[in-house]
Amino acid sequence: AGKVFAAAHALKTSSAHEAASFFVAALRLAPWRLEEQLAYAEVLLTLNQKEQAKEIAEMIVTRSESDNLTRKASKLLGNKFDPIPSKKPPLRGPWICLVRVGEVNEVALNASLKKLEEVLGIPVVICKRSAPVGKSHRSALERWAKEVLVKYLNWSAPELKILLQSKNVDTASKLTSEDIITAARKAILTSETHEQLKLFEETVVFFQNHDKQWDAEKLMELTLPATEGIENINGSVILGITEVDIYSNESNFIFGTAINGKAKGLVSFARYRADFTQEPPQLSRLTQRMHKQILSTVGNALGLPRPTDPTSARAYPTNLAEHDAKSEYMSEMCISGFEKVLNIELPPIAHKTGHETK
């Protein structure tokens, strides 16, 4: 499909008809390449096939998890792309201040903001200033190789002894992560099956593609300078929003974290995105995942305990499947906790029954 797409792009300026036929052939093989769908729509416009081009653009706006793609598709439709309207923080009362840490999908962030306001009934404002993520704090690939993979290898095996000697080291702990991966590959080739080797290589590629990780606590501290000078900031929950993969202490990763009862938290959407999970892009799924994590982290930041109801948005998930299995609404225990700490009454839609009635 990649070669056919390349041919389609090469033909765009010389022959739109030929380019369109190549796009059709490639998209039959790889229909979820939304950037190529948009390129095809642009070719269709030059061929005066406006309705078909608009249909593709509307699909992209609905599905895309990329602001850049959404912006271009909106332009093709003649719509204005303005996902985050300017909004001033309230001068009194509780509110939530969202601080972008690095680049964040603004369409999904604005949708999450609206959902949060609807459920909690308090203002949610996106801080004008953002915080930089800076350089990553650790390598996921190196951590996997040196702390996990190295323990499963038999370093007394002849082929691994030879490797240690060739690197002039006496223990595996002195090897680089690349050397440990090479050792594992040799061990698998010696004694394991083709399927196990395939699984191993897929795992290596996964860690290579998602290697950089950031310390959640350090990123959370970066949000504070962005809020300096904002009136009534002490009446808010400051919540950092990032799309980089985060961890805390010795965890493999986390979805979010908070300083319990201190009105500070951080949420990462890295592992909710389709490009991480290898799912077809779906904006509504991304915003649902974001909303549930934000609700959970805001509650933690306010010192609320986790619920026992597994379907509550604030239930603790051990993996993404459990996160997806939760509803977008909270248990009554969570709701009463929010009402007590915020000194407000949450709107009827916050309740599962209220939502179902509506």
Side-chain angles (χ1 to χ4, degrees), residues 177-219:
S177 55
E178 290 78 9
D179 290 336
I180 294 169
I181 290 169
T182 298
R185 189 175 287 117
K186 286 183 177 181
I188 293 170
L189 284 169
T190 302
S191 59
E192 304 295 346
T193 66
H194 172 74
E195 286 301 314
Q196 287 169 316
L197 179 61
K198 181 183 176 183
L199 178 61
F200 171 76
E201 296 295 358
E202 288 173 352
T203 305
V204 172
V205 170
F206 172 83
F207 280 112
Q208 288 173 337
N209 291 338
H210 306 292
D211 182 43
K212 295 179 179 180
Q213 292 189 304
W214 281 258
D215 186 307
E217 281 72 23
K218 290 179 180 178
L219 288 192

Side-chain angles (χ1 to χ4, degrees), residues 214-335:
W214 281 258
D215 186 307
E217 281 72 23
K218 290 179 180 178
L219 288 192
M220 189 161 43
E221 289 304 312
L222 291 176
T223 63
L224 300 181
T227 64
E228 287 180 2
I230 297 177
E231 290 188 73
N232 193 30
I233 193 64
N234 291 332
S236 76
V237 176
I238 301 173
L239 189 66
I241 308 292
T242 188
E243 285 193 4
V244 300
D245 197 26
I246 60 174
Y247 68 93
S248 179
N249 299 317
E250 293 306 309
S251 63
N252 291 325
F253 70 91
I254 55 174
F255 294 138
T257 189
I259 301 176
N260 196 276
K262 298 295 183 180
K264 295 177 187 176
L266 178 79
V267 167
S268 167
F269 302 145
R271 292 176 181 254
Y272 296 154
R273 292 178 55 86
D275 53 10
F276 195 104
T277 58
Q278 297 301 299
E279 299 168 299
Q282 176 57 278
L283 183 62
S284 62
R285 181 186 61 223
L286 175 62
T287 56
Q288 286 169 1
R289 288 170 173 173
M290 290 165 63
H291 171 67
K292 288 184 277 190
Q293 186 57 51
I294 289 173
L295 264 183
S296 180
T297 303
V298 169
N300 294 346
L302 290 172
L304 305 185
R306 293 275 192 179
T308 57
D309 178 0
T311 67
S312 171
R314 293 197 60 250
Y316 179 75
T318 58
N319 52 51
L320 186 57
E322 289 185 0
H323 186 74
D324 284 342
K326 298 189 294 183
S327 75
E328 294 182 62
Y329 303 92
M330 296 179 291
S331 68
E332 291 303 310
M333 184 186 81
C334 289
I335 290 171

